[in-house]
Amino acid sequence: MVHNLCHAECVRFVKKFNLPLLVTGGGGYTKENVARCWTVETGVLLDTELPNEIPENEYIKYFAPECSLRIPNGHIENLNSKSYLSTIKMQVLENLRSIQHAPSVQMQEVPPDFYIPEFDEDEQNPDERMDQHTQDKQIQRDDEFYEGDNDNDHMDVG
């Protein structure tokens, strides 16, 4: 089944409960497919069957070559890199850490090293660019880690 129709079927299913609905959207994929998806879902919410053809308008070139509401079924390659997904994960965890907890719910601080993404230079694609923020997070200062006698992690205490 086509992706935007799957979304619409979910909306149709929840709508059958006859409860007030607040339908919110997010980003993702391409602006053209998000627009298609929300159009189909809005039609479901309004109990309106929409034609598959997108009428002529100033944005029609964005929907070429099909110029149709329902996109053809097929395999779409996942273009998300591991570093991009790691960055998103780090941002989500940081946002969750910043959320105020509910009263009388115990919260604990999560150690900062938990948020550092795993980075393997051998897996890094040299042809793939990283944004500056991600690059900065991967820098290790020379005075931050020691080997040998200056390594505080291996000092004998006594």
Side-chain angles (χ1 to χ4, degrees):
M1 182 175 258
V2 179
H3 185 69
N4 60 358
L5 295 179
C6 293
H7 272 248
E9 288 307 313
C10 292
V11 172
R12 188 173 280 113
F13 175 77
V14 172
K15 191 174 177 221
K16 287 180 184 177
F17 291 105
N18 291 321
L19 295 171
L21 272 174
L22 173 64
V23 182
T24 61
Y29 312 118
T30 64
K31 59 186 174 293
E32 298 84 6
N33 290 339
V34 170
R36 284 179 167 114
C37 184
W38 277 102
T39 302
V40 171
E41 291 175 10
T42 301
V44 169
L45 289 166
L46 298 173
D47 295 317
T48 303
E49 186 65 34
L50 299 173
N52 192 37
E53 300 78 31
I54 296 176
E56 186 65 38
N57 64 74
E58 62 186 289
Y59 303 103
I60 196 70
K61 65 182 177 191
Y62 292 109
F63 301 97
E66 298 89 15
C67 297
S68 60
L69 190 57
R70 290 159 188 86
I71 56 176
N73 206 359
H75 175 72
I76 299 174
E77 182 182 358
N78 182 356
L79 299 176
N80 294 310
S81 68
K82 287 183 180 181
S83 62
Y84 173 73
L85 293 175
S86 178
T87 300
I88 296 297
K89 176 183 171 185
M90 190 170 56
Q91 289 173 347
V92 167
L93 291 173
E94 184 62 28
N95 288 344
L96 289 173
R97 188 180 71 77
S98 302
I99 294 175
Q100 234 180 9
H101 63 82
S104 76
V105 175
Q106 184 179 3
M107 299 289 284
Q108 294 182 8
E109 188 68 27
V110 177
D113 61 342
F114 178 77
Y115 297 111
I116 298 173
E118 292 180 23
F119 178 73
D120 184 357
E121 281 188 28
D122 296 332
E123 289 185 21
Q124 185 68 28
N125 182 348
D127 296 328
E128 183 180 289
R129 286 190 169 207
M130 282 190 284
D131 62 279
Q132 189 62 47
H133 181 72
T134 303
Q135 289 177 20
D136 291 345
K137 293 235 178 239
Q138 296 171 353
I139 294 174
Q140 294 182 356
R141 293 179 21 176
D142 291 335
D143 63 345
E144 193 169 343
F145 299 100
Y146 299 102
E147 291 184 19
D149 295 337
N150 292 332
D151 188 352
N152 291 334
D153 291 336
H154 300 298
M155 288 181 66
D156 292 329
V157 179

